[in-house]
Structure formats: C-alpha cells, structure tokens
Amino acid sequence: MSPSADGRITAERDAQATEQGTAELVKQAAQQVSELVRAELRLAVTEIKDKGRHAGKGAGLFGGAGMVALYGAGALIAAVIAALALVLPVWASALIVAGVLFAVAAVLALLGRQETSQATPPVPQEAAEGIKEDVNTIKERAHR
C-alpha cells in the first residue's frame, strides 16, 4: 500500500468513528432531553395536584364562612325586625324588612343581568381579531 492510500484509509476510519460518536451523542442527548421532559411533567402534575388540593380545601372553608355569614345575616335581620316591632306590630316590621330585602335583591339582579349581557358571547373577540390581523400581516409579508 502506498502512504497516500494508507492515509486515506485512516482518515475514513476517523470519519466513521466521528460519525458513530456524533450519532451516539445525539442519541444520548435525545434520550436525556426526553427523560428531562418526562421528569418535569411529573413534577408539574404533582405540583398541580397539590395546589388543587389546597384550592379545594380553601373553597370548602370559604363555603363554610359564607354559610355562617348567612346565618349571621339572618340573625341581624331578626334583630332589625325585633327593633321595629318596638314601635310597629311585628307583622308590619317583618313586612317592611322583607320589602327592603326584595328591593336590594332586585337591584342586584339588574346589575347582574347587565354584567352578564356584557360577557356574551363567551368568545375572546379582541384576541380573535388580533390573531386575524397577525395572520393577514404574515400573509402580506410572505407575498413580498
């Protein structure tokens, strides 16, 4: 064999070894990235479950607080009726308090209806329009 042929064979072997080494490194990197993503997903799921558990407990405690506040409001209403009963008959006191409560409920219902009408349709119209504008801009620039 000539020295130049021997050099070519060595260079080819080095190139093959480099290709195999690079391929192996790419394969290992892909596996490691895949394992890392899976580990991060498991961590995210665990974190979300933990936060969900706390949110559930918090919602339950808020519900309990609301129920106790409702009983408190009932007791306060009874006290107002009793106070009015000192100057009016009990039935008249209860009727006045009920009328005031119904008036407050009507105002709250009207405000709620107004807010609800502003929420329909439940489609993010501004975001959808923004996306359409972005798509049109990209199309225009792609044609240039």
Side-chain angles (χ1 to χ4, degrees), residues 103-118:
V104 169
V107 169
L108 292 174
L110 290 173
L111 291 173
R113 188 176 86 182
Q114 181 181 1
E115 288 294 320
T116 305
S117 68
Q118 292 177 1

Side-chain angles (χ1 to χ4, degrees), residues 7-133:
R8 264 188 275 133
I9 292 173
T10 303
E12 287 176 11
R13 285 184 188 157
D14 288 344
Q16 287 176 348
T18 301
E19 286 178 23
Q20 289 175 349
T22 303
E24 185 63 31
L25 287 174
V26 169
K27 181 180 174 184
Q28 287 176 356
Q31 288 174 344
Q32 290 174 349
V33 167
S34 177
E35 290 172 8
L36 179 63
V37 168
R38 284 190 196 111
E40 290 293 336
L41 286 173
R42 283 192 300 271
L43 177 63
V45 166
T46 302
E47 187 177 345
I48 289 172
K49 283 182 181 178
D50 188 45
K51 288 185 179 199
R53 195 173 310 120
H54 286 290
K57 286 180 183 178
L61 291 171
F62 274 127
M67 187 64 106
V68 171
L70 182 64
Y71 290 139
L76 185 61
I77 291 169
V80 170
I81 292 171
L84 281 175
L86 295 174
V87 293
L88 297 172
V90 175
W91 65 268
S93 301
L95 191 60
I96 291 170
V97 171
V100 170
L101 290 174
F102 284 133
V104 169
V107 169
L108 292 174
L110 290 173
L111 291 173
R113 188 176 86 182
Q114 181 181 1
E115 288 294 320
T116 305
S117 68
Q118 292 177 1
T120 55
V123 177
Q125 293 175 334
E126 291 179 24
E129 289 173 12
I131 291 171
K132 288 177 185 177
E133 289 175 12

